[in-house]
Amino acid sequence: MKTPFITRDQLAEITAHYPTPFHLYDEKGIREKARALNDAFSWNKGFKEYFAVKATPTPAILRILQEENCGVDCASYVELLMSHKMGFQDIMFSSNNTPQEDYQYANQIGATINLDAYEDIEHLKRAIAIPETISVRYNPGGVFELGTDIMDHPSEAKFGMTKKQLFQALSELQELGAKYFGVHSFLASNTVTNDYYPELARQLFELAVEIKSELGISLDFINLSGGIGVNYRPEQEANDIAVIGAGVHRVYDEVLLPAGLGEVKIYTELGRFMLAPHGILVTKATHRKETYRTYIGVDASAVNLMRPAMYGAYHHITNMDNPQGTSEVVDVVGSLCENNDKFAVQRELPVTTIGDTLVIHDTGAHGFSMGYQYNAKLRSAEILYTEDGSARLIRRAEKPEDYFATFAGLDFEMDES
């Protein structure tokens, strides 16, 4: 059982003012999560969280994190532009297949470039003078395991460079003028275990010791990236960031301190962990259909939350108007002309009637941001549930004129009626 961060009556007040569907974010929860993370890594004097903008690229959300001493990790020119306009000073640029213009702008605003591929050194050289501070992305290949559990397959990922390439890249970048170096790696996605970060840290810390021994380079920072997940399923136990931070601290003291690397800064690049549990997609049941299954049609669709359609991902659903009612087995579906437009497949839920308000949990990251406009569907609003208990519109819903605005050579006048 998952409990929304807002009550039925509080949500009813919001839906009376803002039409569904919309994404709703919990300011209090976001701030508490950022503070817990910073506390968990306060033992490292250079620690910095670079929030993954791609997870929730909404200025009002980024402002909260900025106020909680977080930086940002960007993956594109527009993310860099938005972050710079918001006044962020701590910006990481982690991209791949990167246009030279993006490197130029990242360098112009003082972002730290996180180089994805050894071959990208040539692209970087053509774009800018090699910066004094630079990061390189490591992919160890193979299979990443924790105990007997296979967590992911780094060898299948398009990101990062091999160990041999990484050593060659660091050597060449140093010859080209770089002075301060970092290493970044991402080995598994959405891990729901307190052991992932300490194990990743051990691999990267041991790599740092090798780099110092073979190249004479002492890393300035190690970026543990993302990968800490959330308990999408109610039976899963949430990660404990205090335990995770203590685990990384233990490995830091065990591996880096004896090697004379006790000044290495630790960076994280969390998106899902920081935001997913603190956002919900609010939608209303609009139709019931009985064929070979029972279908509950809602006014949201994969346009608003792509993860179930794209990955078959599980998101818990609460019927705010009948949370404890007699259950039935249903598919919860949107209105797109695609059969994978389903938020739940053969899910046991309380009986839902037309007009009921449903909450789809854990959509605060990779929810709105992955939206699109198939079937000419328009992106929904985003609303912040503030610490004082009020609701504030932080992104309005799109209108038809927004959809038409990019058409070239055509002028669609809206019917005023």
Side-chain angles (χ1 to χ4, degrees):
M1 186 75 175
K2 280 181 174 277
T3 302
F5 55 76
I6 192 167
T7 68
R8 177 181 181 273
D9 290 343
Q10 291 167 333
L11 188 56
E13 289 184 19
I14 298 174
T15 57
H17 189 67
Y18 297 104
T20 56
F22 56 79
H23 285 271
L24 182 68
Y25 303 95
D26 177 25
E27 179 184 6
K28 182 174 183 288
I30 296 168
R31 290 190 185 277
E32 288 176 349
K33 181 64 67 64
R35 292 168 189 174
L37 174 65
N38 284 321
D39 285 346
F41 284 88
S42 59
W43 53 267
N44 182 263
K45 64 182 180 181
F47 174 76
K48 176 66 70 170
E49 157 62 13
Y50 289 83
F51 175 74
V53 174
K54 60 181 175 286
T56 317
T58 304
I61 301 299
L62 298 179
R63 183 71 71 200
I64 292 170
L65 295 169
Q66 187 179 44
E67 291 169 356
E68 297 297 338
N69 199 36
C70 297
V72 286
D73 177 78
C74 299
S76 70
Y77 170 80
V78 175
E79 289 185 358
L80 286 169
L81 181 65
M82 178 170 61
S83 299
H84 179 60
K85 285 183 175 294
M86 291 188 64
F88 277 96
Q89 299 297 311
D90 297 300
I91 303 176
M92 190 75 61
F93 183 43
S94 301
S95 60
N96 63 98
N97 298 322
T98 308
Q100 292 185 27
E101 295 81 4
D102 291 16
Y103 283 139
Q104 291 166 352
Y105 185 66
N107 188 60
Q108 176 187 326
I109 65 174
T112 298
I113 293 171
N114 185 21
L115 212 59
D116 178 69
Y118 168 75
E119 294 83 355
D120 285 347
I121 294 176
E122 289 302 315
H123 295 285
L124 190 63
K125 285 165 56 180
R126 286 195 291 269
I128 60 173
I130 299 299
E132 285 194 350
T133 299
I134 195 161
S135 177
V136 288
R137 189 165 185 174
Y138 174 50
N139 183 334
V143 175
F144 179 70
E145 298 176 293
L146 277 178
T148 59
D149 295 328
I150 295 177
M151 306 299 291
D152 220 323
H153 298 77
S155 61
E156 298 176 3
K158 71 172 185 175
F159 307 106
M161 48 185 101
T162 67
K163 184 175 179 179
K164 180 179 179 181
Q165 289 173 331
L166 183 136
F167 275 65
Q168 184 64 30
L170 290 172
S171 180
E172 289 185 21
L173 289 166
Q174 186 179 50
E175 291 175 3
L176 291 167
K179 297 179 180 179
Y180 307 101
F181 300 92
V183 168
H184 166 289
S185 192
F186 179 89
L187 300 187
S189 178
N190 192 41
T191 61
V192 189
T193 168
N194 295 327
D195 297 329
Y196 168 64
Y197 246 24
E199 178 55 31
L200 169 65
R202 180 177 297 280
Q203 293 192 26
L204 294 184
F205 294 169
E206 290 175 350
L207 180 69
V209 173
E210 286 188 63
I211 290 169
K212 181 182 179 183
S213 175
E214 294 190 24
L215 301 179
I217 293 174
S218 295
L219 294 181
D220 186 59
F221 62 88
I222 292 174
N223 189 337
L224 300 177
S225 67
I228 298 179
V230 300
N231 52 325
Y232 287 106
R233 295 179 179 272
E235 67 271 18
Q236 292 177 309
E237 185 175 348
N239 285 320
D240 186 330
I241 196 62
V243 173
I244 291 170
V248 174
H249 191 182
R250 183 175 59 254
V251 180
Y252 189 100
D253 289 351
E254 184 181 319
V255 178
L256 292 182
L257 287 186
L261 293 170
E263 298 299 315
V264 175
K265 305 179 187 73
I266 299 299
Y267 296 161
T268 57
E269 190 183 286
L270 300 169
R272 187 194 314 268
F273 177 75
M274 297 293 288
L275 253 295
H278 310 300
I280 54 178
L281 175 58
V282 182
T283 183
K284 284 188 179 290
T286 58
H287 294 77
R288 283 185 66 96
K289 177 179 178 179
E290 303 283 350
T291 54
Y292 307 106
R293 295 182 177 184
T294 298
Y295 295 93
I296 303 298
V298 297
D299 56 10
S301 69
V303 162
N304 309 107
L305 178 64
M306 187 192 291
R307 295 187 71 254
M310 189 173 187
Y311 302 120
Y314 180 95
H315 282 265
H316 198 66
I317 299 175
T318 296
N319 184 325
M320 298 296 284
D321 293 308
N322 187 26
Q324 304 294 336
T326 303
S327 64
E328 60 180 348
V329 176
V330 299
D331 285 11
V332 179
V333 302
S335 59
L336 296 185
C337 298
E338 294 293 336
N339 197 46
N340 67 350
D341 182 22
K342 298 181 178 182
F343 295 114
V345 177
Q346 293 297 274
R347 182 86 59 87
E348 189 171 319
L349 293 172
V351 172
T352 300
T353 59
I354 292 174
D356 284 354
T357 298
L358 304 184
V359 159
I360 303 176
H361 292 257
D362 302 315
T363 66
H366 309 290
F368 181 93
S369 66
M370 294 179 73
Y372 58 113
Q373 293 176 316
Y374 182 59
N375 283 174
K377 293 286 188 178
L378 303 175
R379 295 181 181 91
S380 63
E382 291 181 291
I383 299 169
L384 183 66
Y385 184 64
T386 65
E387 287 187 298
D388 65 11
S390 62
R392 178 163 64 91
L393 184 69
I394 57 176
R395 190 194 301 259
R396 67 164 174 83
E398 287 182 335
K399 303 175 182 179
E401 47 264 46
D402 297 318
Y403 185 83
F404 298 148
T406 55
F407 293 159
L410 293 173
D411 183 13
F412 282 83
E413 293 187 9
M414 297 302 299
D415 185 348
E416 302 261 341
S417 63

